[in-house]
C-alpha cells in the first residue's frame, strides 16, 4: 500500500523567515516520484517541486527546496524568505505507476 | 498553453439530477486524471486515462459515476443521479508520461 503522511495540520511563519513542512511516505516500489503542491484559497493546485526517487540530489526551485531522505522515506519542503503569497495548503504527493497518492495537507500561514 | 481547462467552475444542482463535468487537457499530454477533493477524504483519484483509454477506475465510488475520453482533447465525468454526498471539488489533471500532474482549476459541485 502507498501512504503519504503529513503530521503538521497547520503551521505559521513570519514573513521573510524560513519554514520546513514535513512529509513521510511508504511504498514498496523503488522507482517513484515525489511532489509538493500548493493550494491557495483559489483552490488551484499548483506544482511547487518534483523529485525523482532515483536522484540523490535534492530538488530546488527558487525559494523552495526539499530534503529527500530515501532510506527514511522522508520528503520535507523548505521555504526560504517566506512571502505573504506563500499562504496556502501544501500537499505532499507520491506517484508510482502513474497514480498519485496525496497527504492530508499542511495549512501554512505567513504572517506580516 | 492555456493549461488544463475545466467547466463549469461551479455547479449547483438538485438531488437526482444528472451532472456532467468537462475537461480539456494540456495539448500533447497523454495522461488524464480525475480527482475529487473533500474535507473528509482529501484528494482521491477517481479514474485515469492513457491515450484516451481508461486504465484504472478503481477509485470511482459507484455506478452512478462514469467517465469518458472520446478524444485526446476532451473528457467528461458524469454523475447520474447525483446525491448530496457527491458535493465536492472535482479536479482534472493532465500529464505527459504520467509522472507529473498539472491540475485544472476545479469544479465546485454542490448537490442540494
Amino acid at each position: 500500500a502507498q501512504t503519504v503522511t503529513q503530521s503538521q495540520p497547520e503551521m505559521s511563519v513570519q514573513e521573510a523567515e524560513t519554514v520546513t513542512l514535513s512529509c513521510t511516505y511508504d511504498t514498496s516500489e523503488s522507482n517513484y516520484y515525489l511532489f509538493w503542491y500548493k493550494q491557495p484559497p483559489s483552490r488551484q493546485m499548483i506544482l511547487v517541486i518534483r523529485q525523482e526517487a532515483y536522484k540523490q540530489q535534492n530538488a530546488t526551485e527558487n525559494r523552495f527546496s526539499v530534503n529527500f531522505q530515501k532510506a527514511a522515506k522522508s520528503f520535507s519542503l523548505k521555504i526560504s524568505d517566506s512571502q505573504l503569497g506563500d499562504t496556502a495548503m501544501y500537499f505532499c504527493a507520491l506517484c508510482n505507476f502513474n497514480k498519485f497518492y496525496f497527504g492530508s495537507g499542511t495549512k501554512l500561514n505567513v504572517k506580516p | 498553453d492555456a493549461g488544463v481547462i475545466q467547466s463549469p467552475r461551479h455547479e449547483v444542482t438538485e438531488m437526482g439530477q444528472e451532472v456532467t463535468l468537462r475537461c480539456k487537457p494540456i495539448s500533447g499530454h497523454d495522461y488524464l486524471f480525475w480527482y475529487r477533493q473533500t474535507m473528509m477524504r482529501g484528494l482521491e483519484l477517481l479514474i485515469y486515462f492513457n491515450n484516451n483509454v481508461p486504465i484504472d477506475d478503481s477509485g470511482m465510488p459507484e455506478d452512478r459515476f462514469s467517465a469518458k475520453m472520446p478524444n485526446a482533447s476532451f473528457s467528461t465525468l458524469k454523475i447520474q443521479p447525483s446525491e448530496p454526498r457527491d458535493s465536492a471539488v472535482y479536479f482534472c489533471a493532465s500529464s505527459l508520461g504520467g509522472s507529473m500532474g498539472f491540475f485544472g482549476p476545479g469544479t465546485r459541485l454542490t448537490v442540494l
Side-chain angles (χ1 to χ4, degrees):
Chain A
Q2 329 290 323
T3 60
V4 178
T5 303
Q6 294 179 251
S7 58
Q8 305 151 314
E10 190 164 354
M11 297 186 71
S12 293
V13 65
Q14 290 295 131
E15 194 175 7
E17 294 189 347
T18 296
V19 64
T20 298
L21 280 57
S22 301
C23 173
T24 57
Y25 61 93
D26 193 20
T27 179
S28 58
E29 303 299 327
S30 58
N31 192 22
Y32 51 89
Y33 299 84
L34 294 162
F35 302 81
W36 280 97
Y37 280 90
K38 169 185 176 181
Q39 187 177 41
S42 67
R43 292 200 321 263
Q44 177 75 50
M45 292 286 286
I46 301 166
L47 177 63
V48 174
I49 201 163
R50 174 178 182 259
Q51 173 82 42
E52 292 134 328
Y54 62 86
K55 287 188 177 179
Q56 292 188 340
Q57 185 174 6
N58 289 324
T60 62
E61 283 289 341
N62 301 315
R63 298 183 295 107
F64 299 88
S65 62
V66 297
N67 183 2
F68 174 44
Q69 302 289 328
K70 190 171 184 178
K73 296 182 178 177
S74 170
F75 185 63
S76 61
L77 175 69
K78 185 172 82 171
I79 306 175
S80 304
D81 185 25
S82 296
Q83 300 176 0
L84 296 178
D86 296 334
T87 292
M89 283 288 287
Y90 287 81
F91 292 94
C92 179
L94 164 71
C95 175
N96 57 41
F97 297 110
N98 306 315
K99 293 182 74 168
F100 278 72
Y101 303 86
F102 286 86
S104 55
T106 295
K107 185 176 181 182
L108 178 66
N109 297 302
V110 180
K111 299 181 178 180
Chain B
D1 199 311
V4 177
I5 299 172
Q6 291 186 247
S7 64
R9 295 293 306 275
H10 303 273
E11 177 80 27
V12 180
T13 191
E14 293 190 345
M15 184 174 62
Q17 296 298 306
E18 177 180 297
V19 175
T20 299
L21 311 182
R22 297 172 175 80
C23 175
K24 177 179 168 58
I26 293 172
S27 177
H29 281 190
D30 57 350
Y31 283 83
L32 184 139
F33 306 82
W34 281 101
Y35 290 90
R36 178 172 67 175
Q37 185 179 33
T38 61
M39 288 295 293
M40 291 296 295
R41 301 175 67 90
L43 272 157
E44 304 173 276
L45 176 64
L46 300 177
I47 185 172
Y48 78 92
F49 297 82
N50 178 217
N51 292 323
N52 313 338
V53 176
I55 303 300
D56 187 337
D57 65 354
S58 59
M60 296 285 263
E62 47 196 275
D63 292 345
R64 298 185 297 106
F65 286 68
S66 63
K68 294 182 179 180
M69 191 166 185
N71 57 61
S73 59
F74 184 65
S75 177
T76 59
L77 178 68
K78 185 179 293 186
I79 308 172
Q80 166 64 18
S82 58
E83 297 183 3
R85 61 194 168 113
D86 301 331
S87 297
V89 179
Y90 291 81
F91 287 100
C92 176
S94 73
S95 169
L96 181 62
S99 60
M100 183 77 77
F102 293 96
F103 282 73
T107 295
R108 180 177 290 279
L109 173 64
T110 302
V111 183
L112 303 174

